[in-house]
Amino acid sequence: MGLFIIVLMVIGTVLLIRNMNKHLRRLPDSFADPNADRRAAEITRLNADLELPDATPGEVGSGPAASDVENVPAEAEVKGAESGDSPRVTGGRGESA
């Protein structure tokens, strides 16, 4: 009885592997980046802001054509590091300050 169950499990596993390989072959080599259009629009807006004749370095991006892209976590890390809120790094592994 145990041999019968093992044979059934092996047959099921082989069929699952064949089915998975069939599905994987149908997938494209690469997928389109969903944020590519948004990045291209942001670059275009930033270039337009820089080319404004009355723009000064302090005002770039602050007008009505300013960027509407959400802040990324990397900016929060930079702000935290500037204000001194970043955690201290210790020299050894597992040490606590």
Coordinates of all heavy atoms in Angstrom, one line a residue:
M1 N 0.8 -1.2 0.0 CA 0.0 0.0 0.0 C 0.9 1.3 0.0 O 0.6 2.2 -0.7 CB -0.9 0.0 1.2 CG -1.9 1.1 1.3 SD -3.1 0.8 -0.1 CE -4.2 2.1 0.2
G2 N 2.0 1.2 0.8 CA 2.9 2.4 0.8 C 3.5 2.7 -0.5 O 3.7 3.8 -0.9
L3 N 3.9 1.6 -1.2 CA 4.5 1.7 -2.5 C 3.6 2.4 -3.5 O 3.9 3.2 -4.3 CB 5.0 0.4 -3.1 CG 5.7 0.4 -4.4 CD1 7.0 1.2 -4.4 CD2 6.0 -1.0 -4.9
F4 N 2.3 2.0 -3.5 CA 1.3 2.5 -4.3 C 1.1 4.0 -4.1 O 1.0 4.8 -5.1 CB -0.1 1.8 -4.1 CG -1.2 2.3 -4.9 CD1 -1.3 2.1 -6.3 CD2 -2.2 3.0 -4.3 CE1 -2.3 2.6 -7.0 CE2 -3.3 3.5 -5.0 CZ -3.3 3.3 -6.4
I5 N 1.1 4.5 -2.9 CA 1.0 5.9 -2.5 C 2.2 6.7 -3.0 O 2.1 7.8 -3.6 CB 0.8 6.1 -1.0 CG1 -0.6 5.5 -0.6 CG2 0.9 7.5 -0.6 CD1 -0.8 5.5 0.9
I6 N 3.4 6.1 -2.9 CA 4.6 6.8 -3.3 C 4.6 6.9 -4.9 O 4.9 8.0 -5.4 CB 5.9 6.0 -2.8 CG1 6.0 6.2 -1.3 CG2 7.1 6.5 -3.5 CD1 7.1 5.4 -0.7
V7 N 4.2 5.9 -5.6 CA 4.1 5.9 -7.0 C 3.1 7.0 -7.5 O 3.3 7.7 -8.4 CB 3.7 4.5 -7.6 CG1 3.4 4.6 -9.1 CG2 4.9 3.5 -7.4
L8 N 1.9 7.1 -6.8 CA 1.0 8.1 -7.1 C 1.5 9.5 -6.9 O 1.3 10.4 -7.7 CB -0.3 7.9 -6.3 CG -1.3 6.8 -6.8 CD1 -2.5 6.7 -5.8 CD2 -1.7 7.0 -8.2
M9 N 2.3 9.7 -5.8 CA 2.9 11.0 -5.5 C 3.9 11.3 -6.6 O 4.0 12.5 -7.0 CB 3.5 11.0 -4.1 CG 2.4 11.0 -3.0 SD 3.1 10.8 -1.4 CE 4.1 12.3 -1.3
V10 N 4.7 10.4 -7.0 CA 5.7 10.6 -8.0 C 5.0 11.0 -9.4 O 5.5 12.0 -10.0 CB 6.6 9.4 -8.2 CG1 7.5 9.5 -9.5 CG2 7.5 9.2 -7.0
I11 N 4.0 10.3 -9.7 CA 3.3 10.6 -11.0 C 2.7 12.0 -10.9 O 2.7 12.8 -11.8 CB 2.2 9.5 -11.3 CG1 2.8 8.2 -11.6 CG2 1.2 10.0 -12.4 CD1 1.9 7.0 -11.7
G12 N 2.1 12.3 -9.8 CA 1.5 13.7 -9.6 C 2.6 14.8 -9.6 O 2.3 15.8 -10.2
T13 N 3.7 14.5 -9.1 CA 4.8 15.5 -9.1 C 5.3 15.7 -10.5 O 5.5 16.8 -10.9 CB 6.0 15.0 -8.2 OG1 5.5 14.8 -6.9 CG2 7.1 16.0 -8.2
V14 N 5.4 14.6 -11.3 CA 5.9 14.7 -12.7 C 4.9 15.5 -13.5 O 5.3 16.4 -14.3 CB 6.1 13.3 -13.3 CG1 6.3 13.4 -14.8 CG2 7.3 12.6 -12.6
L15 N 3.6 15.3 -13.3 CA 2.6 16.0 -14.1 C 2.6 17.5 -13.7 O 2.4 18.4 -14.5 CB 1.2 15.4 -13.8 CG 1.0 14.0 -14.4 CD1 -0.4 13.5 -14.0 CD2 1.1 14.1 -15.9
L16 N 2.8 17.8 -12.4 CA 2.8 19.2 -12.0 C 4.0 19.9 -12.5 O 4.0 21.0 -13.0 CB 2.9 19.3 -10.4 CG 1.5 19.0 -9.7 CD1 1.7 18.9 -8.2 CD2 0.5 20.1 -10.1
I17 N 5.2 19.2 -12.6 CA 6.4 19.8 -13.1 C 6.2 20.1 -14.6 O 6.6 21.2 -15.1 CB 7.6 18.9 -12.9 CG1 8.0 18.9 -11.4 CG2 8.8 19.4 -13.7 CD1 9.0 17.9 -11.0
R18 N 5.6 19.1 -15.4 CA 5.4 19.4 -16.8 C 4.5 20.5 -17.0 O 4.7 21.3 -17.9 CB 4.8 18.1 -17.4 CG 5.9 17.0 -17.5 CD 5.3 15.7 -18.1 NE 4.8 16.1 -19.5 CZ 4.0 15.3 -20.2 NH1 3.6 14.1 -19.7 NH2 3.6 15.6 -21.4
N19 N 3.4 20.6 -16.2 CA 2.4 21.7 -16.4 C 3.1 23.1 -16.1 O 2.9 24.1 -16.8 CB 1.2 21.5 -15.5 CG 0.1 22.4 -15.7 OD1 0.0 23.0 -16.8 ND2 -0.8 22.6 -14.8
M20 N 3.9 23.1 -15.0 CA 4.6 24.3 -14.7 C 5.6 24.8 -15.8 O 5.7 26.0 -16.1 CB 5.4 24.2 -13.3 CG 6.1 25.4 -12.8 SD 4.9 26.7 -12.5 CE 4.1 26.0 -11.0
N21 N 6.3 23.8 -16.3 CA 7.2 24.2 -17.4 C 6.5 24.7 -18.6 O 6.9 25.6 -19.3 CB 8.1 22.9 -17.8 CG 9.2 22.6 -16.8 OD1 9.6 23.5 -16.1 ND2 9.6 21.4 -16.8
K22 N 5.3 24.2 -18.9 CA 4.5 24.6 -20.0 C 4.1 26.1 -19.8 O 4.1 26.9 -20.7 CB 3.3 23.7 -20.2 CG 2.6 23.9 -21.5 CD 1.3 23.0 -21.6 CE 1.7 21.5 -21.4 NZ 0.5 20.7 -21.6
H23 N 3.7 26.4 -18.6 CA 3.3 27.8 -18.3 C 4.5 28.7 -18.3 O 4.3 29.9 -18.7 CB 2.6 27.8 -16.9 CG 1.2 27.3 -16.9 ND1 0.1 28.0 -17.5 CD2 0.7 26.1 -16.5 CE1 -1.0 27.3 -17.4 NE2 -0.7 26.1 -16.8
L24 N 5.6 28.3 -17.8 CA 6.8 29.1 -17.8 C 7.3 29.5 -19.2 O 7.8 30.6 -19.4 CB 7.9 28.5 -17.0 CG 7.7 28.5 -15.5 CD1 8.8 27.7 -14.8 CD2 7.6 29.9 -14.9
R25 N 7.1 28.6 -20.1 CA 7.5 28.8 -21.5 C 6.6 29.9 -22.2 O 7.1 30.6 -23.1 CB 7.4 27.5 -22.3 CG 8.6 26.6 -22.1 CD 8.6 25.4 -23.1 NE 9.3 24.3 -22.5 CZ 8.7 23.2 -22.2 NH1 7.4 23.0 -22.5 NH2 9.4 22.2 -21.6
R26 N 5.4 30.0 -21.7 CA 4.5 31.0 -22.3 C 4.8 32.4 -21.8 O 4.3 33.4 -22.4 CB 3.1 30.6 -21.9 CG 2.6 29.4 -22.6 CD 1.2 29.1 -22.2 NE 0.8 27.8 -22.7 CZ -0.3 27.2 -22.4 NH1 -1.1 27.7 -21.5 NH2 -0.6 26.0 -22.9
L27 N 5.5 32.6 -20.7 CA 5.8 33.9 -20.2 C 6.8 34.7 -21.1 O 7.6 34.1 -21.7 CB 6.4 33.8 -18.8 CG 5.5 33.3 -17.7 CD1 6.2 33.2 -16.4 CD2 4.3 34.3 -17.5
P28 N 6.6 36.0 -21.2 CA 7.6 36.8 -22.0 C 8.9 36.8 -21.3 O 9.1 36.6 -20.1 CB 6.9 38.2 -22.0 CG 6.0 38.2 -20.8 CD 5.6 36.8 -20.6
D29 N 10.0 37.2 -22.1 CA 11.3 37.2 -21.5 C 11.4 38.3 -20.4 O 12.2 38.2 -19.5 CB 12.3 37.5 -22.6 CG 12.5 36.3 -23.5 OD1 12.2 35.1 -23.0 OD2 12.9 36.5 -24.7
S30 N 10.8 39.4 -20.6 CA 10.8 40.5 -19.7 C 9.5 41.2 -19.7 O 8.7 41.2 -20.6 CB 11.9 41.5 -20.0 OG 11.7 42.1 -21.2
F31 N 9.2 41.9 -18.6 CA 7.9 42.6 -18.4 C 8.2 44.1 -18.5 O 9.2 44.6 -18.1 CB 7.2 42.3 -17.1 CG 6.8 40.8 -17.0 CD1 7.6 39.9 -16.4 CD2 5.6 40.5 -17.5 CE1 7.2 38.6 -16.3 CE2 5.2 39.1 -17.5 CZ 6.0 38.2 -16.8
A32 N 7.2 44.8 -19.0 CA 7.3 46.3 -19.1 C 7.3 46.9 -17.7 O 6.6 46.4 -16.8 CB 6.2 46.9 -19.9
D33 N 8.1 47.9 -17.5 CA 8.2 48.6 -16.2 C 7.0 49.5 -16.1 O 6.8 50.4 -16.9 CB 9.5 49.5 -16.2 CG 9.7 50.1 -14.8 OD1 9.0 49.7 -13.9 OD2 10.6 50.9 -14.7
P34 N 6.1 49.3 -15.1 CA 4.9 50.1 -15.0 C 5.2 51.6 -14.6 O 4.4 52.5 -14.9 CB 4.1 49.4 -13.9 CG 5.1 48.6 -13.1 CD 6.2 48.3 -14.1
N35 N 6.4 51.9 -14.0 CA 6.7 53.2 -13.6 C 7.5 54.0 -14.7 O 7.9 55.1 -14.5 CB 7.4 53.2 -12.3 CG 6.6 52.7 -11.2 OD1 5.4 53.0 -11.1 ND2 7.2 52.0 -10.3
A36 N 7.8 53.4 -15.8 CA 8.6 54.0 -16.8 C 8.0 55.3 -17.4 O 8.6 56.3 -17.6 CB 8.9 53.0 -18.0
D37 N 6.7 55.2 -17.7 CA 6.0 56.4 -18.2 C 6.0 57.5 -17.2 O 6.1 58.7 -17.5 CB 4.5 56.0 -18.6 CG 4.5 55.1 -19.8 OD1 5.4 55.1 -20.6 OD2 3.5 54.3 -19.9
R38 N 5.8 57.2 -15.9 CA 5.7 58.2 -14.9 C 7.1 58.8 -14.7 O 7.2 60.1 -14.6 CB 5.3 57.5 -13.6 CG 4.9 58.5 -12.5 CD 4.2 57.8 -11.4 NE 5.1 57.9 -10.3 CZ 4.9 57.4 -9.1 NH1 3.8 56.7 -8.9 NH2 5.7 57.4 -8.1
R39 N 8.2 58.0 -14.8 CA 9.5 58.6 -14.7 C 9.8 59.5 -15.9 O 10.4 60.6 -15.7 CB 10.5 57.5 -14.7 CG 10.7 56.9 -13.3 CD 11.9 56.0 -13.2 NE 11.5 54.8 -12.5 CZ 11.5 53.6 -13.0 NH1 12.0 53.3 -14.2 NH2 11.1 52.6 -12.2
A40 N 9.4 59.1 -17.1 CA 9.7 59.9 -18.3 C 8.9 61.2 -18.2 O 9.5 62.3 -18.5 CB 9.2 59.2 -19.5
A41 N 7.7 61.2 -17.7 CA 6.9 62.5 -17.5 C 7.6 63.4 -16.5 O 7.6 64.6 -16.6 CB 5.5 62.1 -17.1
E42 N 8.1 62.8 -15.4 CA 8.8 63.5 -14.4 C 10.0 64.2 -14.9 O 10.3 65.4 -14.6 CB 9.1 62.6 -13.2 CG 9.8 63.3 -12.1 CD 9.0 64.4 -11.4 OE1 7.8 64.5 -11.6 OE2 9.7 65.2 -10.7
I43 N 10.8 63.5 -15.7 CA 12.0 64.0 -16.3 C 11.7 65.2 -17.2 O 12.3 66.2 -17.2 CB 12.8 62.9 -17.0 CG1 13.4 62.0 -16.0 CG2 13.9 63.5 -17.9 CD1 14.0 60.7 -16.6
T44 N 10.6 65.0 -18.0 CA 10.2 66.1 -18.9 C 9.8 67.3 -18.1 O 10.1 68.4 -18.5 CB 9.0 65.6 -19.8 OG1 9.4 64.4 -20.5 CG2 8.6 66.6 -20.8
R45 N 9.0 67.1 -17.0 CA 8.6 68.3 -16.2 C 9.8 69.0 -15.6 O 9.9 70.2 -15.6 CB 7.7 67.8 -15.1 CG 6.3 67.8 -15.5 CD 5.4 67.5 -14.3 NE 4.5 66.4 -14.6 CZ 4.5 65.2 -14.1 NH1 5.4 64.9 -13.1 NH2 3.7 64.3 -14.5
L46 N 10.8 68.2 -15.1 CA 12.0 68.8 -14.5 C 12.8 69.6 -15.5 O 13.3 70.7 -15.2 CB 12.8 67.7 -13.8 CG 12.2 67.1 -12.5 CD1 13.0 66.0 -12.1 CD2 12.0 68.2 -11.5
N47 N 12.9 69.0 -16.7 CA 13.6 69.7 -17.8 C 12.9 71.0 -18.2 O 13.5 72.0 -18.4 CB 13.8 68.8 -19.0 CG 14.9 67.8 -18.8 OD1 15.7 67.9 -17.9 ND2 14.8 66.7 -19.5
A48 N 11.6 71.0 -18.2 CA 10.8 72.2 -18.5 C 11.0 73.2 -17.4 O 11.1 74.4 -17.7 CB 9.4 71.8 -18.7
D49 N 11.0 72.8 -16.2 CA 11.2 73.7 -15.1 C 12.6 74.4 -15.2 O 12.8 75.6 -14.9 CB 11.1 73.0 -13.7 CG 9.7 72.7 -13.4 OD1 8.8 73.2 -14.0 OD2 9.5 71.9 -12.4
L50 N 13.6 73.6 -15.6 CA 15.0 74.2 -15.7 C 15.1 75.1 -16.8 O 16.0 76.0 -16.8 CB 16.0 73.1 -15.8 CG 16.2 72.2 -14.5 CD1 17.1 71.0 -14.9 CD2 16.8 73.0 -13.4
E51 N 14.3 75.0 -17.9 CA 14.4 75.8 -19.0 C 13.6 77.1 -19.0 O 13.6 77.9 -19.9 CB 14.0 75.0 -20.3 CG 15.0 73.9 -20.6 CD 14.6 73.0 -21.7 OE1 13.5 73.3 -22.3 OE2 15.3 72.1 -22.1
L52 N 12.9 77.3 -17.9 CA 12.1 78.5 -17.7 C 13.0 79.7 -17.6 O 14.0 79.7 -16.9 CB 11.2 78.5 -16.5 CG 10.0 77.5 -16.5 CD1 9.3 77.4 -15.2 CD2 9.1 77.9 -17.6
P53 N 12.8 80.8 -18.4 CA 13.7 81.9 -18.4 C 13.7 82.7 -17.1 O 14.8 83.2 -16.7 CB 13.2 82.8 -19.5 CG 11.7 82.4 -19.7 CD 11.7 81.0 -19.3
D54 N 12.6 82.7 -16.3 CA 12.6 83.5 -15.1 C 12.9 82.6 -13.8 O 12.7 83.1 -12.7 CB 11.3 84.2 -14.9 CG 10.1 83.2 -14.9 OD1 10.3 82.1 -15.3 OD2 9.0 83.6 -14.5
A55 N 13.3 81.4 -14.1 CA 13.5 80.5 -12.9 C 14.9 80.8 -12.3 O 15.9 81.0 -13.0 CB 13.5 79.0 -13.4
T56 N 14.9 80.8 -11.0 CA 16.1 80.9 -10.2 C 16.4 79.6 -9.6 O 15.5 78.8 -9.4 CB 16.0 82.0 -9.2 OG1 15.0 81.7 -8.3 CG2 15.8 83.4 -9.8
P57 N 17.6 79.3 -9.2 CA 18.0 78.0 -8.6 C 17.1 77.6 -7.4 O 16.8 76.5 -7.2 CB 19.4 78.1 -8.3 CG 20.0 79.2 -9.1 CD 18.8 80.1 -9.4
G58 N 16.7 78.6 -6.6 CA 15.9 78.3 -5.4 C 14.5 78.0 -5.8 O 13.7 77.4 -5.0
E59 N 14.0 78.4 -6.9 CA 12.6 78.3 -7.3 C 12.3 77.1 -8.2 O 11.2 76.9 -8.6 CB 12.1 79.6 -8.0 CG 12.1 80.8 -7.1 CD 11.7 82.0 -7.8 OE1 11.4 81.9 -9.0 OE2 11.6 83.1 -7.2
V60 N 13.3 76.4 -8.6 CA 13.1 75.3 -9.6 C 12.2 74.3 -8.9 O 12.4 73.8 -7.8 CB 14.4 74.7 -10.0 CG1 14.2 73.4 -10.8 CG2 15.2 75.7 -10.8
G61 N 11.1 73.9 -9.6 CA 10.2 72.9 -9.1 C 9.2 73.4 -8.1 O 8.4 72.6 -7.6
S62 N 9.1 74.7 -7.8 CA 8.2 75.2 -6.8 C 7.0 75.9 -7.4 O 6.1 76.2 -6.7 CB 8.9 76.1 -5.8 OG 9.3 77.3 -6.6
G63 N 6.9 76.0 -8.7 CA 5.8 76.7 -9.4 C 4.6 75.7 -9.6 O 4.6 74.6 -9.1
P64 N 3.7 76.2 -10.5 CA 2.5 75.3 -10.8 C 2.9 74.1 -11.6 O 2.2 73.1 -11.5 CB 1.6 76.2 -11.6 CG 2.5 77.3 -12.1 CD 3.6 77.5 -11.1
A65 N 4.1 74.1 -12.3 CA 4.5 72.9 -13.0 C 5.3 72.0 -12.2 O 6.1 71.2 -12.7 CB 5.3 73.4 -14.2
A66 N 5.3 72.1 -10.9 CA 6.1 71.3 -10.0 C 5.7 69.9 -10.0 O 4.6 69.5 -10.4 CB 6.0 71.8 -8.5
S67 N 6.6 69.1 -9.6 CA 6.5 67.6 -9.6 C 5.4 67.2 -8.7 O 5.2 67.7 -7.6 CB 7.8 67.0 -9.3 OG 7.6 65.6 -9.1
D68 N 4.6 66.1 -9.1 CA 3.6 65.5 -8.2 C 4.0 64.1 -7.9 O 3.2 63.4 -7.4 CB 2.3 65.6 -8.9 CG 2.2 64.8 -10.2 OD1 3.3 64.4 -10.7 OD2 1.1 64.6 -10.7
V69 N 5.2 63.7 -8.1 CA 5.7 62.4 -7.7 C 5.8 62.3 -6.2 O 6.3 63.2 -5.5 CB 7.0 62.1 -8.4 CG1 7.6 60.7 -7.9 CG2 6.9 62.1 -9.9
E70 N 5.3 61.2 -5.6 CA 5.4 61.0 -4.2 C 6.8 60.9 -3.7 O 7.7 60.5 -4.4 CB 4.7 59.8 -3.8 CG 3.2 59.7 -4.2 CD 2.6 58.4 -4.0 OE1 3.1 57.6 -3.2 OE2 1.6 58.1 -4.7
N71 N 7.1 61.4 -2.5 CA 8.4 61.3 -1.9 C 8.7 59.8 -1.7 O 7.9 59.0 -1.2 CB 8.5 62.0 -0.6 CG 8.4 63.5 -0.8 OD1 8.7 64.0 -1.9 ND2 7.9 64.2 0.2
V72 N 9.9 59.4 -2.0 CA 10.4 58.1 -1.8 C 11.0 57.9 -0.4 O 11.5 58.9 0.2 CB 11.4 57.7 -2.9 CG1 10.7 57.6 -4.2 CG2 12.5 58.6 -2.9
P73 N 11.1 56.7 0.1 CA 11.7 56.6 1.5 C 13.1 57.0 1.5 O 13.6 57.4 2.6 CB 11.6 55.1 1.7 CG 10.5 54.6 0.8 CD 10.5 55.5 -0.4
A74 N 13.9 57.0 0.4 CA 15.2 57.5 0.4 C 15.3 58.9 0.9 O 16.3 59.3 1.6 CB 15.9 57.3 -0.9
E75 N 14.4 59.7 0.5 CA 14.4 61.1 0.9 C 14.2 61.3 2.4 O 14.8 62.1 3.1 CB 13.3 61.9 0.2 CG 13.6 62.2 -1.3 CD 12.5 63.1 -1.9 OE1 12.4 64.2 -1.5 OE2 11.9 62.6 -2.8
A76 N 13.4 60.4 3.0 CA 13.2 60.4 4.4 C 14.5 60.0 5.1 O 14.8 60.6 6.2 CB 12.0 59.5 4.8
E77 N 15.2 59.1 4.5 CA 16.5 58.7 5.2 C 17.5 59.9 5.1 O 18.2 60.1 6.1 CB 17.1 57.5 4.4 CG 16.3 56.3 4.6 CD 16.9 55.1 3.8 OE1 18.0 55.3 3.2 OE2 16.2 54.1 3.7
V78 N 17.5 60.6 4.0 CA 18.4 61.8 3.9 C 18.0 62.8 4.9 O 18.8 63.4 5.6 CB 18.3 62.4 2.5 CG1 19.1 63.7 2.4 CG2 18.9 61.4 1.5
K79 N 16.7 63.1 5.1 CA 16.2 64.1 6.0 C 16.6 63.7 7.5 O 17.0 64.5 8.3 CB 14.7 64.3 5.9 CG 14.4 65.1 4.6 CD 12.9 65.2 4.5 CE 12.5 65.9 3.2 NZ 11.1 66.0 3.0
G80 N 16.4 62.4 7.7 CA 16.7 61.9 9.1 C 18.2 62.0 9.4 O 18.6 62.3 10.5
A81 N 19.1 61.7 8.4 CA 20.5 61.8 8.5 C 20.9 63.3 8.8 O 21.8 63.5 9.5 CB 21.2 61.2 7.4
E82 N 20.3 64.2 8.1 CA 20.6 65.6 8.2 C 20.2 66.1 9.6 O 20.9 67.0 10.2 CB 19.9 66.4 7.1 CG 20.5 66.2 5.8 CD 19.7 66.9 4.7 OE1 18.6 67.5 5.0 OE2 20.2 66.9 3.5
S83 N 19.1 65.6 10.2 CA 18.7 66.1 11.4 C 19.3 65.4 12.6 O 19.1 65.7 13.8 CB 17.2 66.0 11.5 OG 16.8 64.7 11.5
G84 N 20.1 64.3 12.3 CA 20.8 63.6 13.4 C 19.9 62.5 14.0 O 20.2 62.0 15.1
D85 N 18.9 62.1 13.3 CA 18.0 61.1 13.8 C 18.4 59.7 13.5 O 17.8 58.7 13.8 CB 16.5 61.3 13.3 CG 15.9 62.5 13.9 OD1 16.4 63.0 14.9 OD2 15.0 63.1 13.3
S86 N 19.5 59.5 12.7 CA 19.9 58.2 12.2 C 20.5 57.4 13.4 O 21.1 57.9 14.3 CB 20.9 58.3 11.1 OG 22.0 58.9 11.5
P87 N 20.3 56.1 13.4 CA 20.9 55.2 14.5 C 22.4 55.2 14.3 O 22.9 55.2 13.2 CB 20.3 53.9 14.2 CG 19.9 53.9 12.8 CD 19.5 55.3 12.5
R88 N 23.1 55.0 15.4 CA 24.5 54.9 15.4 C 25.0 53.5 15.0 O 24.3 52.5 15.4 CB 25.1 55.3 16.8 CG 24.8 56.7 17.1 CD 25.5 57.1 18.4 NE 25.3 58.5 18.7 CZ 26.0 59.2 19.4 NH1 27.1 58.7 20.0 NH2 25.7 60.5 19.6
V89 N 26.1 53.5 14.3 CA 26.6 52.2 13.9 C 27.7 51.8 14.9 O 28.6 52.6 15.1 CB 27.2 52.3 12.5 CG1 27.8 51.0 12.0 CG2 26.1 52.7 11.5
T90 N 27.6 50.6 15.4 CA 28.7 50.1 16.3 C 29.7 49.4 15.6 O 29.5 48.9 14.5 CB 28.1 49.3 17.4 OG1 27.5 48.1 16.8 CG2 27.1 50.0 18.2
G91 N 30.9 49.2 16.2 CA 32.0 48.6 15.5 C 31.9 47.1 15.4 O 32.2 46.5 14.4
G92 N 31.3 46.4 16.4 CA 31.3 44.9 16.4 C 29.9 44.4 16.1 O 28.9 45.1 16.1
R93 N 29.9 43.1 15.9 CA 28.6 42.4 15.6 C 28.0 42.1 17.0 O 28.6 41.6 17.9 CB 28.9 41.1 14.9 CG 27.8 40.7 14.0 CD 28.0 39.4 13.3 NE 29.3 39.4 12.6 CZ 29.7 38.3 12.0 NH1 29.0 37.2 12.0 NH2 30.9 38.3 11.3
G94 N 26.7 42.4 17.1 CA 25.9 42.0 18.3 C 26.1 42.9 19.5 O 25.6 42.6 20.5
E95 N 26.9 44.0 19.3 CA 27.1 44.9 20.4 C 26.0 45.8 20.6 O 25.3 46.2 19.6 CB 28.4 45.7 20.2 CG 29.7 44.9 20.2 CD 30.9 45.8 19.9 OE1 30.7 47.0 19.9 OE2 32.0 45.2 19.8
S96 N 25.6 46.2 21.8 CA 24.6 47.2 22.0 C 25.2 48.4 22.7 O 26.1 48.3 23.6 CB 23.4 46.6 22.8 OG 23.9 46.2 24.1
A97 N 24.7 49.6 22.4 CA 25.2 50.8 22.9 C 24.5 51.2 24.2 O 23.4 50.9 24.5 CB 25.1 51.9 21.9

